[in-house]
Amino acid sequence: MTIYRGTVLDTPESPFTGGVLRVEADAGIAVTDGVITHRGPFAQVRAANPDAEVVEMTGGVVLPGLVDTHVHFPQVRVIGALGMPLLDWLDRCALPEEAKMADADYARTVAAEFVDGLIRAGTTTALVFGAHFAPAVDCLFEQAAAGGLRVSAGLVVSDRLLRPELLTTPEQAHADGLALAGRWHRKDRLRYAVTPRFSLSTSDAMLESCAELLSDVDGALFTSHVNENTAEVDTVRGLFPTCDSYVDTYGRHRLLGRRSVLAHNVHPDDAELDQLAAAGASVAHCPSSNSALGSGLFPLRRHVERGVRVALGTDVGAGTSFSLLREGLQSYFMQALLGADGLPLTAAHMLYLATAAGAAALEMDSEIGDLSVGKQFDAVWVDPDPGSTLGLVLAHAADSDDALAKVFALAGPSDVRGVWVSGDRLR
Ligand code: GUN
Ligand code: ZN
């Protein structure tokens, strides 16, 4: 057994439905075989377990491991290419880089950089857009396993309107997906995710092959993009004249359920929100990407009011960093900019979106998302240099909500001093 000692902040109940930030100063969290067996005041937990090893995290704050519900592994090296809307950025930046993943050695190097980037940012679980090439997806799973991360990912598939080397057929997509899932699905911390790039680049036949794969791989996730950019939405609506909407292009093919995560949804109509809510599907809100590509201001209030589950994604490389703390802050900014249409966020909302909401979106909330007894010890210790601006403002925080707001405002990967998954220290 190990006892972790620190100031622990988490959100076991959603602040969107009345939950508040749970604060335990000088807490003790007892962990055996990766699972939290006891938590309470440190002195009490210590007295009950006098022989346990103690890991002291007395400065800063301990948070649940961060959950990134939308991030692209082959795009690490194109982060920060600003100045283009979605479809130009894909053609000029993202897809030329993704074509390089045909070279497995190149893919392995980038996969290692990617996993390292996630861990440095305090991310312990991610739903990852893989690559269009199966050997590159193997590299991603290998690196995730070596790094100890929880990763769900899959082969990205498309059969139209992208550069030709990124295209495949529905039959090949199904065969490759099944083989990859056979190698990696439910191996330790890994899961398979069926991943059509977006309806713009996938025919009905390809979406149908995705539906077959989803039913063939028990417990697999489904992920794609939706309603990100108005030019994209217009194109998709033209390509699927018999569908009611962009969301319906996936719904028609039985691809919407409780393990489905669609990125963006910046421009939904009410019927689309109702369809997502009825299916129990989640939306990965990616605020830095939406800002960088000028995609729009995410209608969080409408999602919440219509019962759609929402979590956060970095969307690297359109998103500008691996840090979910920065995404939380950016989501706050964007809701503030929406004025009366926005949903004012507190620090507890930001933490919930970056942790428990992501765990729920990936159907992992029975295991991770907060630091309650019975959950895995997935945690991040944020502890700035005392002389840094964050160190200074934390020392003068009014209370724990205020301290957490300061963490979101100022913390970055350099303030992440420890990262654990199931009690294994990754950093
Ligand atoms: N839509 C289809 N592919 C992508 C991608 O790589 N990034 C983003 N942001 N949107 C997409
Ligand atoms: Zn994306």
Side-chain angles (χ1 to χ4, degrees), residues 93-109:
C93 269
L95 300 182
E97 177 67 11
E98 297 218 9
K100 296 186 192 167
M101 299 295 143
D103 175 350
D105 288 332
Y106 186 77
R108 189 169 301 107
T109 305

Side-chain angles (χ1 to χ4, degrees), residues 107-178:
R108 189 169 301 107
T109 305
V110 173
E113 294 167 357
F114 174 77
V115 166
D116 188 53
L118 290 176
I119 296 171
R120 283 171 184 269
T123 297
T124 51
T125 297
L127 173 55
V128 180
F129 244 73
H132 286 269
F133 306 95
V137 180
D138 281 314
C139 292
L140 169 66
F141 278 124
E142 278 160 20
Q143 293 301 320
L149 281 180
R150 294 186 202 283
V151 162
S152 302
L155 181 71
V156 182
V157 299
S158 290
D159 62 349
R160 65 179 175 196
L161 298 176
L162 301 184
R163 46 199 295 147
E165 63 268 49
L166 300 182
L167 302 180
T168 184
T169 62
E171 297 73 27
Q172 192 65 46
H174 183 269
D176 288 345
L178 209 52

Side-chain angles (χ1 to χ4, degrees), residues 70-72 75 89 129 197 224-225 228 263-264 286 289 315-316 318:
H70 186 72
V71 56
H72 295 252
Q75 297 178 5
W89 175 82
F129 244 73
R197 186 162 203 115
S224 194
H225 296 93
E228 179 176 2
H264 302 299
C286 306
S289 166
D315 198 26
V316 157

Side-chain angles (χ1 to χ4, degrees), residues 42-57:
F42 173 75
Q44 232 174 57
V45 176
R46 180 67 176 144
N49 305 282
D51 300 327
E53 176 206 2
V54 175
V55 175
E56 297 275 355
M57 298 182 279

Side-chain angles (χ1 to χ4, degrees), residues 1-248:
M1 171 187 289
T2 304
I3 302 173
Y4 297 88
R5 178 183 193 180
T7 295
V8 178
L9 307 179
D10 64 358
T11 51
E13 305 295 335
S14 167
F16 292 101
T17 51
V20 295
L21 182 67
R22 176 166 66 173
V23 179
E24 196 155 355
D26 199 17
I29 296 185
V31 175
T32 301
D33 296 332
V35 178
I36 300 171
T37 54
H38 187 188
R39 69 170 272 176
F42 173 75
Q44 232 174 57
V45 176
R46 180 67 176 144
N49 305 282
D51 300 327
E53 176 206 2
V54 175
V55 175
E56 297 275 355
M57 298 182 279
T58 37
V61 296
V62 180
L63 309 175
L66 305 173
V67 181
D68 190 340
T69 61
H70 186 72
V71 56
H72 295 252
F73 120 68
Q75 297 178 5
V76 187
R77 295 186 179 193
V78 298
I79 294 173
L82 304 177
M84 287 161 272
L86 173 67
L87 298 176
D88 290 346
W89 175 82
L90 280 173
D91 282 345
R92 285 158 54 188
C93 269
L95 300 182
E97 177 67 11
E98 297 218 9
K100 296 186 192 167
M101 299 295 143
D103 175 350
D105 288 332
Y106 186 77
R108 189 169 301 107
T109 305
V110 173
E113 294 167 357
F114 174 77
V115 166
D116 188 53
L118 290 176
I119 296 171
R120 283 171 184 269
T123 297
T124 51
T125 297
L127 173 55
V128 180
F129 244 73
H132 286 269
F133 306 95
V137 180
D138 281 314
C139 292
L140 169 66
F141 278 124
E142 278 160 20
Q143 293 301 320
L149 281 180
R150 294 186 202 283
V151 162
S152 302
L155 181 71
V156 182
V157 299
S158 290
D159 62 349
R160 65 179 175 196
L161 298 176
L162 301 184
R163 46 199 295 147
E165 63 268 49
L166 300 182
L167 302 180
T168 184
T169 62
E171 297 73 27
Q172 192 65 46
H174 183 269
D176 288 345
L178 209 52
L180 279 163
R183 290 197 284 283
W184 300 107
H185 184 56
R186 289 188 165 144
K187 297 276 152 62
D188 201 13
R189 298 170 184 165
L190 309 176
R191 286 203 281 164
Y192 196 76
V194 177
T195 312
R197 186 162 203 115
F198 56 164
S199 291
L200 190 150
S201 67
T202 49
S203 66
D204 275 303
M206 183 60 93
L207 292 173
E208 196 51 33
S209 98
C210 289
E212 274 169 40
L213 184 58
L214 197 57
S215 83
D216 290 343
V217 183
D218 188 39
L221 287 98
F222 171 78
T223 192
S224 194
H225 296 93
V226 77
N227 287 325
E228 179 176 2
N229 160 291
T230 50
E232 170 217 19
V233 174
D234 291 345
T235 306
V236 170
R237 289 203 175 218
L239 287 166
F240 291 89
T242 62
C243 286
D244 296 337
S245 65
Y246 195 160
V247 165
D248 193 41

